[in-house]
């Protein structure tokens, strides 16, 4: 365990951005940029708890800075850094990966200290050459390579490709036993605590972050974990959220278990994209997110940086394929497309999308080729007309879910059939009402018919609803989200039920032709035909196998027909709604 805490300095500005510095080990300072109110991060992230961007300074005989910060911290970060050290004395800037939230200030550092040597993976250095447009000293490192800073601070680099970014590396300091991991083991969580002492406060954010960013590359996570197995780790210095010190085996164990779980899932969806071309990666990530909801494994592959053998292997393992169109002029990507075409088989499902980079390979001729080879189109090609907004993201997310559901169709039928008949009959005696849940978040809205709804508390007034993990509306039902619970009326519910049970195409407007008016709290649609409605806010989600049980408090409600009754749903068997 390492000796902690010396000074905490905080500078504020009106945008709720603060910076905190703290000595976390001998000659090692964490510079944590706290972004208290950031609402949205990557495409699929609805942030609840802000985020932090963590950078680290090691001052041994030689001085190394590990990562910088987001551009929005330009002034605050540079003020703090120059207060800690004369930047011209920094010998190395280690770039764990080149995502802008950590590399956004590299250009500023280079301007202040042009003699600094930038240390990173080959891809990272290449990327930075294109980004900063000025010559700089660089050191390309490989896994296992060491860099001696003196006074025992020997840095060892561990390559961790695809852990959210293709050029990711970890850095391990043999003197302090700190492993610097940037995005990996991070979370979007902002508070004053530097460390992870409060496990329960952060575990949900830790998992959500893993699900969104690491789960899609579970196999790569397992390879990286193997590489750090031999290290004795005192602190995991992450790039986002608290640093990990108090529960390291538990955090790493969770990554291991979740990734093993993902990797052994029978069905795999391989999603091919071209790094830095159009909106290829963000759209493919949204599709991956939607598929992962259906409990299939997903693997993202940057076709520019994948060996043909790797592409062939992953296509052979996959049950579903998604391709973000590469540029026609990119010879490497075109060759990868041919490799994919040669490796597919007719049991696979395919989904294609335009990447919006301006010179996309056209979608339809490729779609036709896959159809001729016998593959099933899991969703219609997604065409990009403009920079993707949240509605396009939702469309991609729902397309991914459709693909996953298609792959799981036999398993679902098997599960339904595997019930013991006495048990299923007795379970079927549980009866409920009928409801339509409606939710809106920004421009995106959705709805579903629900029967597994029950009052769950008196003080505060609260309800619990079981929502299948692969429901389209699930992404709008996280802690802090608001929705409307519409109660259907006995004898008058058939039309609404029929409407909301339709199979909606990805991104379809589920309210077309339905009379609604907006709820006061967040504009979720209230159905004009509902018997009653309640405005609810989600406070807890409980993982219950294939469903989330979502507990919400009720803010307000209204009844349209005081004497009318709620529609009742009786079932014969308990293995379906
Ligand atoms: C009578 C009935 C009750 C249902 N109750 C629930 C429920 O409580 N929770 C749930 O997740 N799905 C429930 N469903 C399933 C969804 O309403 C429906 O399949 C869904 O709207 C379509 O999936 P999607 O919204 O993900 O496209 C029910 C379906 C029926 C027919």
């Amino acid at each position: 365990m390492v000796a902690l805490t010396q000074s905490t300095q905080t500078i504020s500005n009106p945008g709720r951005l603060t910076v905190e510095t703290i000595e976390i080990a001998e000659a090692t300072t964490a510079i944590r940029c706290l972004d208290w109110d950031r609402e949205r991060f990557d495409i699929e992230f609805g942030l609840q708890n802000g985020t932090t961007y963590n950078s680290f300074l090691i001052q041994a005989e030689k001085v190394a800075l590990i990562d910088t910060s987001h551009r929005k911290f330009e002034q605050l970060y540079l003020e703090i850094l120059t207060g800690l050290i004369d930047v011209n004395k920094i010998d190395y800037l280690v770039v764990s990966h080149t995502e802008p939230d950590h590399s956004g200030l590299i250009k500023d550092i280079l301007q202040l200290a042009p003699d600094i040597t930038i240390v990173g993976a080959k891809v990272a250095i290449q990327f930075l050459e294109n980004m900063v447009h000025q010559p700089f000293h660089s050191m390309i490192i490989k896994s296992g390579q060491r860099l001696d800073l003196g006074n025992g601070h020997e840095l060892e680099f561990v390559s961790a490709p695809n852990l959210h970014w293709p050029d990711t590396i970890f850095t391990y300091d043999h003197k302090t036993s700190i492993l610097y991991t940037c995005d990996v083991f991070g979370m979007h969580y902002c508070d004053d605590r530097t460390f992870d002492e409060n496990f329960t406060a952060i575990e949900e954010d830790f998992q959500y972050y893993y699900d969104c960013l690491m789960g899609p590359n579970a196999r790569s996570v397992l390879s990286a974990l193997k590489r750090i197995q031999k290290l004795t780790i005192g602190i995991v210095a992450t790039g986002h959220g608290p640093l990990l010190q108090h529960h390291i085996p538990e955090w790493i164990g969770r990554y291991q278990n979740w990734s093993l779980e993902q990797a052994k899932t029978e069905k795999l969806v391989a999603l091919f994209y071209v790094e830095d071309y159009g909106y290829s990666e963000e759209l493919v990530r949204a599709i991956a997110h939607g598929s992962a909801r259906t409990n299939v494994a997903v693997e993202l592959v940057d076709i520019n940086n994948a060996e043909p053998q790797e592409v062939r292997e992953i296509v052979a393992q996959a049950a579903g394929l998604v391709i973000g169109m590469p540029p026609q002029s990119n010879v490497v990507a075109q060759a990868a497309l041919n490799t994919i075409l040669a490796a597919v088989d007719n049991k696979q499902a395919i989904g294609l999308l335009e990447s919006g980079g301006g010179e996309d390979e056209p979608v339809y001729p490729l779609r036709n080729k896959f159809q001729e080879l016998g593959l099933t189109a899991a969703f219609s090609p997604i065409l990009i007309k403009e920079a993707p907004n949240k509605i396009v993201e939702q469309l991609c997310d729902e397309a991914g879910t459709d693909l996953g559901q298609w792959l799981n169709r036999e398993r679902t039928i098997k599960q339904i059939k595997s019930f013991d008949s006495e048990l299923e009959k007795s379970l079927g005696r549980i009866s409920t009402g009928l409801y339509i849940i409606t939710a809106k978040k920004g421009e995106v809205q959705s709805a579903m018919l629900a029967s597994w709804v029950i009052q769950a508390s008196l003080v505060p007034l609260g309800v619990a609803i079981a929502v299948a993990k692969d429901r389209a509306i699930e992404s709008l039902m996280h802690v802090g989200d608001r929705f409307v619970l519409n109660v259907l009326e006995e004898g008058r519910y058939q039309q609404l039920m029929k409407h909301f049970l339709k199979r909606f195409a990805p991104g379809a407007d589920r309210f077309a032709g339905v009379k609604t008016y907006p709820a006061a709290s967040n504009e979720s649609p209230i159905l004009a035909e509902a018997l009653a409605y309640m405005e609810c806010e989600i406070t807890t989600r409980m993982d219950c196998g294939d469903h989330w049980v979502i507990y919400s408090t009720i803010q307000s409600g209204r009844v349209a027909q005081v004497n009318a009754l709620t529609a009742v749903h009786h079932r014969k068997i308990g293995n379906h709604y």
Side-chain angles (χ1 to χ4, degrees):
M1 200 70 36
V2 198
L4 289 182
T5 321
Q6 271 188 0
S7 68
T8 303
Q9 183 183 0
T10 304
I11 298 176
S12 301
N13 83 0
R16 285 268 285 169
L17 303 178
T18 62
V19 180
E20 167 198 278
T21 63
I22 181 164
E23 188 155 345
I24 54 168
E26 191 269 324
T28 308
T29 310
I31 309 170
R32 299 180 69 235
C33 295
L34 287 82
D35 188 348
W36 295 88
D37 303 320
R38 180 155 189 179
E39 275 180 0
R40 210 170 155 80
F41 207 77
D42 282 289
I43 187 163
E44 67 276 24
F45 256 119
L47 287 186
Q48 309 291 348
N49 298 315
T51 194
T52 76
Y53 316 97
N54 307 331
S55 159
F56 303 91
L57 185 66
I58 307 171
Q59 300 183 66
E61 282 168 27
K62 300 263 181 193
V63 177
L65 180 66
I66 300 189
D67 296 316
T68 64
S69 187
H70 195 287
R71 272 217 80 72
K72 64 163 81 168
F73 279 92
E74 184 176 11
Q75 199 199 334
L76 282 173
Y77 177 84
L78 293 175
E79 241 172 75
I80 287 280
L81 183 66
T82 49
L84 288 171
I85 191 166
D86 169 1
V87 277
N88 281 299
K89 297 218 167 89
I90 303 176
D91 299 283
Y92 304 104
L93 169 54
V94 178
V95 176
S96 302
H97 73 279
T98 47
E99 199 178 7
D101 53 327
H102 306 282
S103 63
L105 300 178
I106 291 180
K107 216 172 163 172
D108 303 65
I109 301 275
L110 274 173
Q111 265 158 17
L112 293 170
D115 287 334
I116 206 165
T117 298
I118 299 196
V119 180
K122 188 173 168 199
V123 186
I125 301 294
Q126 282 166 350
F127 180 82
L128 288 175
E129 279 164 357
N130 294 328
M131 191 178 96
V132 298
H133 302 299
Q134 74 179 76
F136 58 85
H137 304 291
S138 64
M139 184 189 285
I140 293 176
I141 44 91
K142 291 207 171 110
S143 210
Q145 197 170 325
R146 294 186 178 212
L147 174 64
D148 195 354
L149 302 181
N151 300 342
H153 289 270
E154 193 174 24
L155 304 185
E156 179 175 342
F157 302 102
V158 179
S159 109
N162 304 326
L163 294 204
H164 187 40
W165 219 244
D167 53 6
T168 302
I169 53 163
F170 297 159
T171 304
Y172 180 71
D173 186 339
H174 281 269
K175 170 84 179 255
T176 57
S177 304
I178 299 179
L179 181 69
Y180 300 90
T181 56
C182 207
D183 276 355
V184 185
F185 304 117
M187 69 198 84
H188 291 312
Y189 190 90
C190 178
D191 81 353
D192 287 324
R193 278 169 293 209
T194 309
F195 288 97
D196 60 336
E197 56 269 33
N198 192 346
F199 188 86
T200 46
I202 55 178
E203 63 177 331
E204 194 185 332
D205 292 82
F206 182 80
Q207 175 159 13
Y208 190 44
Y209 184 98
Y210 172 91
D211 287 346
C212 290
L213 295 186
M214 301 298 151
N217 291 95
R219 285 149 216 259
S220 303
V221 173
L222 290 171
S223 310
L225 291 182
K226 224 183 250 168
R227 275 183 228 121
I228 60 169
Q229 225 168 25
K230 64 177 192 333
L231 304 176
T232 306
I233 303 169
I235 293 178
V236 178
T238 60
H240 293 295
L243 315 186
L244 311 180
Q245 183 187 35
H246 299 280
H247 310 277
I248 292 175
E250 179 70 3
W251 296 127
I252 295 184
R254 287 190 179 199
Y255 261 49
Q256 175 91 18
N257 293 342
W258 293 331
S259 303
L260 280 172
E261 211 41 55
Q262 280 265 3
K264 76 171 187 233
T265 315
E266 292 162 66
K267 305 283 182 184
L268 173 70
V269 176
L271 303 105
F272 298 93
Y273 70 98
V274 181
E275 166 86 13
D276 278 335
Y277 176 65
Y279 308 99
S280 181
E281 184 179 356
E282 58 181 299
L283 297 174
V284 158
R285 273 191 187 277
I287 296 175
H289 190 246
S291 292
R293 197 185 286 130
T294 67
N295 204 22
V296 297
V298 289
E299 186 81 19
L300 268 78
V301 186
D302 169 13
I303 47 182
N304 250 348
N305 287 308
E307 297 294 328
Q309 182 56 20
E310 198 186 328
V311 173
R312 259 192 298 277
E313 277 171 20
I314 197 126
V315 171
Q317 289 165 19
L321 304 165
V322 172
I323 303 174
M325 288 301 131
Q328 292 177 55
S329 60
N330 182 330
V331 186
V332 176
Q334 289 298 324
L337 264 193
N338 289 333
T339 308
I340 295 172
L341 275 164
V344 293
D345 74 59
N346 60 9
K347 290 190 198 68
Q348 291 168 319
I350 181 85
L352 302 175
L353 67 148
E354 286 182 350
S355 298
E359 48 155 337
D360 285 11
E361 167 80 22
V363 172
Y364 286 102
L366 190 64
R367 196 267 317 252
N368 295 346
K369 280 189 200 164
F370 280 116
Q371 273 183 348
E372 280 159 25
L373 290 166
L375 281 81
T376 304
F379 52 82
S380 307
I382 297 173
L383 308 174
I384 299 302
K385 300 280 166 268
E386 56 199 38
N389 52 25
K390 287 174 190 142
I391 298 194
V392 174
E393 292 166 19
Q394 186 192 20
L395 186 157
C396 290
D397 189 292
E398 291 182 12
T401 303
D402 278 6
L403 168 58
Q405 284 173 341
W406 192 83
L407 297 179
N408 282 335
R409 67 202 183 288
E410 282 166 16
R411 195 168 69 192
T412 313
I413 294 166
K414 238 191 246 165
Q415 266 166 5
I416 290 175
K417 285 189 177 160
S418 68
F419 260 68
D420 161 80
S421 71
E422 277 308 304
L423 170 60
E424 76 189 34
K425 276 187 217 152
S426 53
L427 195 56
R429 292 300 172 262
I430 296 179
S431 298
T432 54
L434 281 173
Y435 310 87
I436 306 287
I437 315 283
T438 58
K440 184 163 196 266
K441 207 168 169 178
E443 308 141 49
V444 175
Q445 55 185 19
S446 193
M448 77 159 192
L449 175 79
S451 55
W452 294 2
V453 177
I454 190 167
Q455 183 165 348
S457 60
L458 284 169
V459 184
L461 287 172
V463 283
I465 303 172
V467 178
K469 288 184 173 169
D470 61 353
R471 288 280 163 264
I473 203 170
E474 186 275 339
S475 58
L476 306 181
M477 298 198 76
H478 286 267
V479 173
D481 289 344
R482 286 159 186 256
F483 65 90
V484 168
L485 175 61
N486 296 275
V487 182
L488 298 187
E489 185 181 334
E490 190 60 63
R492 283 187 67 204
Y493 65 85
Q494 282 84 353
Q495 231 177 332
L496 281 174
M497 181 168 170
K498 196 169 154 209
H499 174 87
F500 285 104
L501 281 177
K502 270 195 301 227
R503 182 137 191 94
F504 292 99
D509 174 9
R510 295 184 180 218
F511 297 95
V514 179
K515 212 164 150 205
T516 64
Y517 54 100
S521 59
N522 78 334
E523 301 189 338
S524 292
I526 296 170
L527 303 183
E529 299 280 301
L531 165 61
Y533 74 87
M534 281 148 272
E535 293 184 41
C536 307
E537 182 172 339
I538 300 169
T539 57
T540 321
R541 276 162 57 109
M542 189 166 108
D543 188 336
C544 299
D546 55 358
H547 283 66
W548 294 107
V549 168
I550 294 181
Y551 170 76
S552 316
T553 53
I554 304 169
Q555 264 69 48
S556 61
R558 235 182 149 160
V559 182
Q561 295 283 340
V562 184
N563 296 321
L565 294 175
T566 303
V568 181
H569 182 52
H570 292 294
R571 307 175 297 167
K572 287 210 168 63
I573 46 169
N575 61 359
H576 197 55
Y577 302 105

